[in-house]
Amino acid sequence: MAVDYSGNPNQRTPCLLILDASGSMDSIGSKGKTRIAELNEGISTLEHALKHDDTAVSRVQLGIVSVGGPANSAEVLMDWTDAVHFSAFPLKAAGTTPLGVGIRLGLQMIEQLKQNLRNNGIPYTRPWMMIITDGEPTDSSSEWEAAVNECRGAESARKVEVYTIAVEGANLATLSQLSARPPVQLDGLKFNELFVWLSSSLSAASKSRPGDTLALPPLDPWRNVGM
Amino acid sequence: MTHWLHAGASVVGQGHLTTGTPCQDKCHIRVSEDGAWLAVAVCDGAGSAEFADVGATITSRYFCQELVRLAQESETRLPGEWINDFVIDRVLRVRDQLREHAKSDDIRKYHCTLVAALVGPHGGFSVHIGDGAIVGGTFAPPGSFPIVELGSNVLISKPENGEYANETFFVTEGAWVKHLRISPLPTIDWLVVCTDGGASLLLDNDSHVKPGFLTPFLEHQISDGFTDGYVEGVLADPKANKLTTDDKTIAVAVRSKSLPKSGVWTDPAERATPPPVPPAKPPDPVLPAPLPPTRPSDPKNRQGADAEIHLVSSSTARRKRFLSKRVFLRALAIVGSLLVLAVLLMLLNWCCRNQLSVWWGAALSRVRQWKEAMKKREQ
């Protein structure tokens, strides 16, 4: 009787997207499409790229928090979903940018997921949190300060990897408060290239073994080097 | 003669083939000179460490050799804290060896885990820093299937990754002593030691052994022999590469005298049709009850004694009743002693030129004279 190789619940690489869906995302870009339309296309690209990666499709888990939008608040648009079951859906732009609230909501989601994975005996790599915004947070200063402290604290306690992406119009100085890793300026509205990079990076993270140095693909295809 | 059958192999992972990195898993197995003890050490070098394969080679080879030395010492010492001290001392010494190789105090380029065990006639212990796993247990009673009893206690030493799956602890890091785990082994019939790559095949989410892997893995080797080639084939299978792109190592050992005779464990395919039942053996003929034991010199019962002998010769049960083994041996010993004594006396008589016969003749004539004297007095 041959040995059985099947039946292994894979480890998870969680990634939470905090997406700015405020009114400014309705601005039209150089290609004649709105920022939110380009963002939505990018999310579709992410879905396609993940599902075509043998390792990422079974290991990456996605969650989406929208900031602003028709609800004009921070809300969970998509709870944690395995990449294999992920279906992209369009966001609508409206309202203000309660980014601080969204970040705290995201951090809470991440801790809840970790507890859930531990309870089910599923190993996981360090979760990612990617914040994409094109403007200034509209939270009160106390709310923003609390979010910054919580985000920095989680990062320095090695609870999460924080990546901040500044779409044209974003306040880089404000965003740089969130992480020791400096914010990266998106080149125009190259969301497709950004999400292809994100998919490859999550795939590399999901395959990484103890002692490996995580080698991420180059940022050049989507980074604005003029920042 | 060795008490242990064993095999082990390390296979480079697909991830390292892509980057041209050599296999950073290493495996060493040794059996003591008297064959009673088996030592195994496997190490997994860290992917990003430049000399991780060297670190894994030096550490696994050294630990395997030293565990055999400890086995020799444990023949004359009871188990105790000295074993912990021995292990700690050997970790310190291997770290010194790596510093010597590096020609530096910084040995981070040699980062590797350590999964090792020493097992003997009545148990042993495991030494573990980092991920990978040690699994072991006993065989099911002969005739049972499957052959191994996979209770929750077969996972002797779990992987330690910390919070994240892609992080672990190394022999070569500063805080190694916080992550050193030494666990006792019970008396086991089989043992499997693996790096985290091997554990991806053997364990289900790091806490349960997969029977679908382990049982056929052991059974195949018990019936076809323990060869490194078989283990290598299992690790290099394309299906294995779907579970992990990491280097993979598995070492397996089985106590040879615990193995049942061939043919006892049935193939599961054959269990659907039960084996043919052999024809029932005819019952033993009913024999008449034996006569009660009698004195053999009694002429009246001599015939009865003859009858007893006849019955004894026709049945083993009768022989046991009338002439037990112990009584028979004692009688034989007495007769033998008397014979030896008689032979010795004859020899002595011959040596003394028949002087004994002369004395015996003189004693007899004295007795005769005394009898005649008594008769005359009575008259």
Side-chain angles (χ1 to χ4, degrees), chain B residues 31 37 65 78 82-83 104 116 120 130 152 190 206 215 218 222 224 240 252 268 288 318 329:
Chain B
V31 177
W37 295 83
Q65 157 199 310
L78 290 172
W82 67 272
I83 292 179
S104 161
S152 57
W190 60 270
D206 287 347
T215 304
L218 285 175
I222 288 168
D224 287 21
V252 56
R318 301 294 181 267
L329 287 171

Side-chain angles (χ1 to χ4, degrees), chain A residues 146-225:
Chain A
V148 163
N149 288 338
E150 204 174 309
C151 193
R152 279 280 189 159
E155 187 185 54
S156 50
R158 301 176 72 248
K159 289 183 181 180
V160 63
E161 295 275 15
V162 180
Y163 290 86
T164 47
I165 312 297
V167 184
E168 53 200 15
N171 187 323
L172 286 166
T174 310
L175 283 180
S176 63
Q177 295 172 12
L178 291 167
S179 168
R181 185 179 282 114
V184 183
Q185 179 81 55
L186 185 68
D187 183 13
L189 296 176
K190 289 184 178 175
F191 285 111
N192 284 330
E193 289 83 350
L194 166 65
F195 284 115
V196 164
W197 175 90
L198 180 61
S199 171
S200 299
S201 301
L202 291 174
S203 175
S206 67
K207 285 177 197 150
S208 77
R209 301 305 308 169
D212 285 352
T213 305
L214 184 57
L216 298 181
L219 280 62
D220 301 339
W222 57 272
R223 180 172 61 176
N224 185 339
V225 296

Side-chain angles (χ1 to χ4, degrees), chain B residues 233-292:
Chain B
V234 166
L235 297 177
D237 192 293
K239 295 195 215 74
N241 293 328
K242 282 195 184 298
L243 289 178
T244 179
T245 54
D246 199 6
D247 298 336
K248 303 177 274 294
T249 295
I250 293 183
V252 56
V254 152
R255 197 189 296 273
S256 48
K257 68 177 181 182
S258 301
L259 291 173
K261 298 193 180 27
S262 61
V264 174
W265 285 315
T266 54
D267 189 293
E270 290 173 5
R271 288 173 79 213
T273 47
V277 177
K281 202 175 149 187
D284 284 333
V286 176
L287 295 167
L291 294 171

